Amino acid sequence: MPPKRDSGIDHEKVKRAVTLFLEAIGEDVERPGLVETPDRVARMCEEILYSTNTDPAEVIKVLEAPGHDEIVLVKDISFYSLCEHHLLPFLGKAHVAYIPAGGRLCGISKLARVVEVASRRLNVQEHLCTVVADAINRVLRPQGVIVVMEAEHLCMTMRGARKPGSKTVTSVVRGIFRERPATRAEALSLIHGSS
Ligand SMILES: [Zn+2]
C-alpha cells in the first residue's frame, strides 16, 4: 500500500485536466460512462504516482549482520511504472543484487520495496534502474550493487514500433560488480539462471 503521505498530487487539478483532455479528444464528458472518469483518474494517480516526492532510499533499514559478505539477490520483482514520454505503462521484472560491506544488510523484502517505491512515478526505465541502485548504494554502502530490469513498454507495443512482447533490458552496475568481471558474471548467472 502507498505510504500515508502527501503525494503532491492536486486532485482537483487532475480532474480538471482529465475533463479537458476528454473534451479535446472529442468525447462527450456528460455521457454516463465518463461522468465519474475525471475523479477516478485523479484517485488512481494518487495510487500509481504516489512516490513522486518520496526518496526510495527511505524504505531501506540497515540490519547489522557481521561476517556476511556473499551475494544477496532478489529476482523477479514485478514492477509497474509509467513512461514519462507517453504516459503509458511499462511493466516487467527487476532483479536486485548486492554484496554487503561492514555487516550492513537490509531485510530482503526492502529490496522489493525500493523497486516498488521508485517505480510509482513518471519514469524512463534507465533512470528507474539507476535510482534503485543508488538508493541501495547510499544506505547500505555495499561492496557492490547490480540492478537489472526487463520490461515491456506499451508505448512500443501498442503504438510506434508495435513490437508486441519485445523487452527492454537495462542494467546498472556499481562497485565490485563493475570492477570484477567474475563477480559480475556470478551475479548475472544467478539472475538469468533457471534455479
Ligand atoms: Zn514511452
Side-chain angles (χ1 to χ4, degrees):
M1 285 299 289
K4 289 272 176 274
R5 64 162 71 226
D6 182 7
S7 61
I9 290 170
D10 184 331
H11 188 99
E12 289 306 315
K13 205 166 188 173
V14 175
K15 276 173 67 175
R16 291 202 299 279
V18 172
T19 301
L20 202 59
F21 170 76
L22 291 170
E23 286 169 359
I25 62 170
E27 277 288 354
D28 169 11
V29 295
E30 303 295 330
R31 71 180 173 85
L34 292 181
V35 169
E36 299 294 332
T37 296
D39 185 56
R40 252 187 236 116
V41 173
R43 281 187 279 118
M44 179 184 74
C45 286
E46 285 166 15
E47 189 175 341
I48 69 175
L49 297 172
Y50 71 81
S51 83
T52 301
N53 294 316
T54 302
D55 179 359
E58 285 178 13
V59 303
I60 308 171
K61 299 279 178 284
V62 178
L63 304 173
E64 301 290 342
H68 192 99
D69 60 358
E70 303 295 330
I71 291 179
V72 179
L73 164 69
V74 180
K75 59 188 216 175
D76 295 330
I77 302 165
S78 295
F79 72 91
Y80 301 82
S81 193
L82 273 189
C83 134
E84 68 184 23
H85 298 146
H86 303 93
L87 307 185
L88 282 174
F90 65 97
L91 61 147
K93 305 273 189 204
H95 316 288
V96 178
Y98 72 103
I99 298 180
R104 291 182 300 277
L105 281 85
C106 71
I108 50 174
S109 68
K110 301 301 186 194
L111 298 179
R113 281 287 297 152
V114 175
V115 173
E116 152 73 18
V117 172
S119 59
R120 297 308 182 128
R121 61 182 74 179
L122 299 184
N123 265 309
V124 292
Q125 186 178 328
E126 300 87 329
H127 180 66
L128 172 57
C129 222
T130 303
V131 166
V132 171
D134 287 347
I136 293 164
N137 225 6
R138 194 150 32 99
V139 181
L140 295 182
R141 288 178 283 124
Q143 295 182 59
V145 57
I146 182 165
V147 178
V148 177
M149 292 183 145
E150 37 193 297
E152 177 176 359
H153 291 243
L154 293 199
C155 60
M156 279 178 63
T157 56
M158 68 182 284
R159 62 160 290 286
R162 291 216 178 102
K163 293 282 180 259
S166 64
K167 291 267 167 63
T168 301
V169 180
T170 51
S171 71
V172 170
V173 181
R174 298 276 188 263
I176 197 170
F177 291 116
R178 181 188 280 266
E179 291 144 20
R180 281 208 217 147
T183 308
R184 179 168 67 244
E186 185 186 352
L188 290 175
S189 83
L190 288 169
I191 286 171
H192 296 302
S194 51
S195 54

PDB file of all heavy atoms in Angstrom, residues 83-88 153-156 159, ligand 1:
ATOM      1  N   CYS A  83       5.733   5.504 -18.351  1.00  0.00           N
ATOM      2  CA  CYS A  83       6.738   6.159 -19.168  1.00  0.00           C
ATOM      3  C   CYS A  83       6.455   7.658 -19.226  1.00  0.00           C
ATOM      4  O   CYS A  83       5.326   8.081 -19.472  1.00  0.00           O
ATOM      5  CB  CYS A  83       6.716   5.520 -20.546  1.00  0.00           C
ATOM      6  SG  CYS A  83       6.748   6.642 -21.908  1.00  0.00           S
ATOM      7  N   GLU A  84       7.488   8.454 -18.940  1.00  0.00           N
ATOM      8  CA  GLU A  84       7.262   9.896 -18.870  1.00  0.00           C
ATOM      9  C   GLU A  84       7.168  10.542 -20.243  1.00  0.00           C
ATOM     10  O   GLU A  84       6.814  11.704 -20.359  1.00  0.00           O
ATOM     11  CB  GLU A  84       8.342  10.572 -18.018  1.00  0.00           C
ATOM     12  CG  GLU A  84       9.730  10.573 -18.622  1.00  0.00           C
ATOM     13  CD  GLU A  84      10.747  11.172 -17.663  1.00  0.00           C
ATOM     14  OE1 GLU A  84      10.497  11.172 -16.457  1.00  0.00           O
ATOM     15  OE2 GLU A  84      11.795  11.627 -18.144  1.00  0.00           O
ATOM     16  N   HIS A  85       7.474   9.789 -21.282  1.00  0.00           N
ATOM     17  CA  HIS A  85       7.366  10.350 -22.635  1.00  0.00           C
ATOM     18  C   HIS A  85       5.960  10.228 -23.202  1.00  0.00           C
ATOM     19  O   HIS A  85       5.550  11.035 -24.017  1.00  0.00           O
ATOM     20  CB  HIS A  85       8.355   9.668 -23.583  1.00  0.00           C
ATOM     21  CG  HIS A  85       9.785   9.873 -23.182  1.00  0.00           C
ATOM     22  ND1 HIS A  85      10.763   8.926 -23.368  1.00  0.00           N
ATOM     23  CD2 HIS A  85      10.381  10.919 -22.573  1.00  0.00           C
ATOM     24  CE1 HIS A  85      11.915   9.388 -22.901  1.00  0.00           C
ATOM     25  NE2 HIS A  85      11.713  10.595 -22.409  1.00  0.00           N
ATOM     26  N   HIS A  86       5.244   9.178 -22.818  1.00  0.00           N
ATOM     27  CA  HIS A  86       3.924   8.930 -23.408  1.00  0.00           C
ATOM     28  C   HIS A  86       2.832   8.734 -22.372  1.00  0.00           C
ATOM     29  O   HIS A  86       1.672   8.540 -22.719  1.00  0.00           O
ATOM     30  CB  HIS A  86       3.975   7.687 -24.306  1.00  0.00           C
ATOM     31  CG  HIS A  86       4.988   7.768 -25.404  1.00  0.00           C
ATOM     32  ND1 HIS A  86       6.273   7.283 -25.284  1.00  0.00           N
ATOM     33  CD2 HIS A  86       4.902   8.313 -26.650  1.00  0.00           C
ATOM     34  CE1 HIS A  86       6.941   7.504 -26.398  1.00  0.00           C
ATOM     35  NE2 HIS A  86       6.148   8.135 -27.243  1.00  0.00           N
ATOM     36  N   LEU A  87       3.192   8.692 -21.088  1.00  0.00           N
ATOM     37  CA  LEU A  87       2.238   8.422 -20.007  1.00  0.00           C
ATOM     38  C   LEU A  87       1.545   7.080 -20.204  1.00  0.00           C
ATOM     39  O   LEU A  87       0.364   6.917 -19.892  1.00  0.00           O
ATOM     40  CB  LEU A  87       1.196   9.536 -19.857  1.00  0.00           C
ATOM     41  CG  LEU A  87       1.722  10.964 -19.704  1.00  0.00           C
ATOM     42  CD1 LEU A  87       0.572  11.938 -19.450  1.00  0.00           C
ATOM     43  CD2 LEU A  87       2.743  11.055 -18.571  1.00  0.00           C
ATOM     44  N   LEU A  88       2.277   6.134 -20.747  1.00  0.00           N
ATOM     45  CA  LEU A  88       1.757   4.771 -20.888  1.00  0.00           C
ATOM     46  C   LEU A  88       2.573   3.859 -19.971  1.00  0.00           C
ATOM     47  O   LEU A  88       3.736   4.143 -19.671  1.00  0.00           O
ATOM     48  CB  LEU A  88       1.881   4.298 -22.339  1.00  0.00           C
ATOM     49  CG  LEU A  88       0.842   4.836 -23.331  1.00  0.00           C
ATOM     50  CD1 LEU A  88       1.189   4.389 -24.744  1.00  0.00           C
ATOM     51  CD2 LEU A  88      -0.570   4.394 -22.960  1.00  0.00           C
ATOM     52  N   HIS A 153       7.206  -2.092 -22.773  1.00  0.00           N
ATOM     53  CA  HIS A 153       6.730  -0.708 -22.791  1.00  0.00           C
ATOM     54  C   HIS A 153       5.528  -0.620 -23.714  1.00  0.00           C
ATOM     55  O   HIS A 153       5.663  -0.873 -24.916  1.00  0.00           O
ATOM     56  CB  HIS A 153       7.833   0.225 -23.301  1.00  0.00           C
ATOM     57  CG  HIS A 153       8.974   0.365 -22.349  1.00  0.00           C
ATOM     58  ND1 HIS A 153       9.300   1.560 -21.761  1.00  0.00           N
ATOM     59  CD2 HIS A 153       9.840  -0.544 -21.857  1.00  0.00           C
ATOM     60  CE1 HIS A 153      10.338   1.383 -20.958  1.00  0.00           C
ATOM     61  NE2 HIS A 153      10.685   0.114 -20.997  1.00  0.00           N
ATOM     62  N   LEU A 154       4.384  -0.257 -23.173  1.00  0.00           N
ATOM     63  CA  LEU A 154       3.191  -0.187 -24.020  1.00  0.00           C
ATOM     64  C   LEU A 154       3.340   0.872 -25.101  1.00  0.00           C
ATOM     65  O   LEU A 154       2.716   0.785 -26.150  1.00  0.00           O
ATOM     66  CB  LEU A 154       1.937   0.063 -23.184  1.00  0.00           C
ATOM     67  CG  LEU A 154       1.524  -1.077 -22.246  1.00  0.00           C
ATOM     68  CD1 LEU A 154       0.059  -0.917 -21.837  1.00  0.00           C
ATOM     69  CD2 LEU A 154       1.727  -2.444 -22.854  1.00  0.00           C
ATOM     70  N   CYS A 155       4.203   1.872 -24.871  1.00  0.00           N
ATOM     71  CA  CYS A 155       4.405   2.880 -25.918  1.00  0.00           C
ATOM     72  C   CYS A 155       5.189   2.299 -27.096  1.00  0.00           C
ATOM     73  O   CYS A 155       5.235   2.898 -28.168  1.00  0.00           O
ATOM     74  CB  CYS A 155       5.089   4.131 -25.372  1.00  0.00           C
ATOM     75  SG  CYS A 155       6.706   3.851 -24.667  1.00  0.00           S
ATOM     76  N   MET A 156       5.784   1.122 -26.903  1.00  0.00           N
ATOM     77  CA  MET A 156       6.439   0.452 -28.034  1.00  0.00           C
ATOM     78  C   MET A 156       5.564  -0.647 -28.609  1.00  0.00           C
ATOM     79  O   MET A 156       5.748  -1.045 -29.753  1.00  0.00           O
ATOM     80  CB  MET A 156       7.768  -0.171 -27.595  1.00  0.00           C
ATOM     81  CG  MET A 156       8.917   0.791 -27.513  1.00  0.00           C
ATOM     82  SD  MET A 156      10.402  -0.060 -26.936  1.00  0.00           S
ATOM     83  CE  MET A 156      10.672  -1.234 -28.269  1.00  0.00           C
ATOM     84  N   ARG A 159       1.762   1.235 -29.864  1.00  0.00           N
ATOM     85  CA  ARG A 159       1.908   2.347 -30.811  1.00  0.00           C
ATOM     86  C   ARG A 159       3.347   2.282 -31.336  1.00  0.00           C
ATOM     87  O   ARG A 159       4.085   1.374 -30.978  1.00  0.00           O
ATOM     88  CB  ARG A 159       1.642   3.689 -30.131  1.00  0.00           C
ATOM     89  CG  ARG A 159       2.619   4.004 -29.005  1.00  0.00           C
ATOM     90  CD  ARG A 159       2.699   5.463 -28.648  1.00  0.00           C
ATOM     91  NE  ARG A 159       3.330   6.241 -29.678  1.00  0.00           N
ATOM     92  CZ  ARG A 159       4.650   6.242 -29.935  1.00  0.00           C
ATOM     93  NH1 ARG A 159       5.472   5.501 -29.215  1.00  0.00           N
ATOM     94  NH2 ARG A 159       5.152   6.975 -30.908  1.00  0.00           N
TER      95      ARG A 159
HETATM   96 ZN    ZN B   1       7.214   5.889 -23.889  1.00  0.00          ZN
END
